[in-house]
Amino acid sequence: GAGVSQSPSNKVTEKGKDVELRCDPISGHTALYWYRQSLGQGLEFLIYFQGNSAPDKSGLPSDRFSAERTGGSVSTLTIQRTQQEDSAVYLCASSDQSSYNEQFFGPGTRLTVL
Amino acid sequence: RKEVEQDPGPFNVPEGATVAFNCTYSNSASQSFFWYRQDCRKEPKLLMSVYSSGNEDGRFTAQLNRASQYISLLIRDSKLSDSATYLCVVNPAGGFKTIFGAGTRLFVKA
């Protein structure tokens, strides 16, 4: 079946611009996660959704970052007024409650802020 | 102290070797543990869960030591295809939040 998809795969933007990243989870997966991975680094947890609600937003780096999920499916991560330090790969993952915490990852969006 | 710590490596081993990675975690209330594998410029994929009694999947064995707060991954008879970064993953308090270690890089050479 279809896995987690993300778009765009690559995004180059200028400092100060806003960007929107999209994640389509595996159909039926109730939990959705966003992570950030900088070059050569581990994954940094940003936010997770259970259905449409986000009980844990503790990882969002600043108020320039926001995320939403609609219909218990698609999620968007928005970064306002991008900075060069926002450059990273943004990974989305989804999880089925019955597979406790096994997360299936999308291919990521590589964001470059010039 | 980081919540999850791993030796970054790299580990360079010949084919057929046995190699072991350790990972320590700081929260004693952590409830679930995993090893993920990440190939270069690819997304992470679940390798195996780690159970209290230890578990084995072919050439891979995972162990959990709650008293010392570490988990381990043993790879026997290493293959070239095992070359990757191995990520230790800990769920600190149940639910869905997970903490990833920075990863241990493994290079298996012919």
Side-chain angles (χ1 to χ4, degrees):
Chain A
V4 178
S5 61
Q6 292 185 246
S7 61
S9 55
N10 281 284
K11 177 72 176 178
V12 180
T13 190
E14 294 180 347
K15 178 181 174 181
K17 300 284 189 182
D18 297 352
V19 296
E20 192 171 278
L21 313 180
R22 176 186 169 108
C23 172
D24 282 88
I26 292 172
S27 177
H29 279 191
T30 57
L32 185 147
Y33 316 73
W34 283 99
Y35 296 91
R36 177 168 73 174
Q37 188 171 32
S38 301
L39 186 63
Q41 303 298 311
L43 274 69
E44 176 188 3
F45 169 85
L46 298 179
I47 188 171
Y48 92 80
F49 290 89
Q50 180 58 34
N52 291 335
S53 64
D56 192 334
K57 302 180 182 179
S58 61
L60 293 176
S62 73
D63 59 8
R64 297 186 295 104
F65 288 72
S66 63
E68 66 174 13
R69 188 180 185 193
T70 56
S73 180
V74 173
S75 176
T76 55
L77 176 69
T78 301
I79 308 173
Q80 296 178 310
R81 305 181 302 282
T82 52
Q83 304 294 312
Q84 288 184 332
E85 60 263 30
D86 298 335
S87 296
V89 176
Y90 289 81
L91 289 159
C92 173
S94 70
S95 175
D96 177 355
Q97 282 186 337
S98 66
S99 300
Y100 185 70
N101 240 8
E102 176 180 359
Q103 297 179 31
F104 296 85
F105 283 82
T109 293
R110 184 172 299 276
L111 175 66
T112 303
V113 182
L114 301 177
Chain B
R1 182 184 174 188
K2 291 183 179 178
E3 291 184 87
V4 176
E5 293 200 70
Q6 295 184 248
D7 181 344
F11 286 65
N12 293 287
V13 303
E15 273 187 295
T18 295
V19 61
F21 309 136
N22 283 335
C23 165
T24 59
Y25 59 95
S26 61
N27 188 335
S28 60
S30 297
Q31 295 186 3
S32 55
F33 310 87
F34 307 86
W35 285 101
Y36 278 70
R37 168 190 170 131
Q38 185 172 28
D39 293 300
C40 188
R41 300 179 77 87
K42 297 287 189 180
E43 70 272 22
K45 293 184 179 179
L46 180 68
L47 178 65
M48 58 196 307
S49 303
V50 186
Y51 304 123
S52 296
S53 56
N55 49 303
E56 186 173 312
D57 182 2
R59 298 181 293 106
F60 299 84
T61 300
Q63 298 277 358
L64 167 63
N65 185 320
R66 286 191 183 272
S68 299
Q69 293 180 214
Y70 77 83
I71 66 174
S72 63
L73 177 68
L74 181 76
I75 305 175
R76 292 180 298 277
D77 189 23
S78 299
K79 310 292 185 189
L80 295 176
S81 57
D82 294 334
S83 297
T85 296
Y86 291 83
L87 303 169
C88 170
V89 180
V90 175
N91 183 321
F96 292 90
K97 181 175 180 178
T98 50
I99 306 297
F100 281 75
T104 297
R105 296 194 71 186
L106 172 66
F107 294 100
V108 181
K109 300 187 176 182

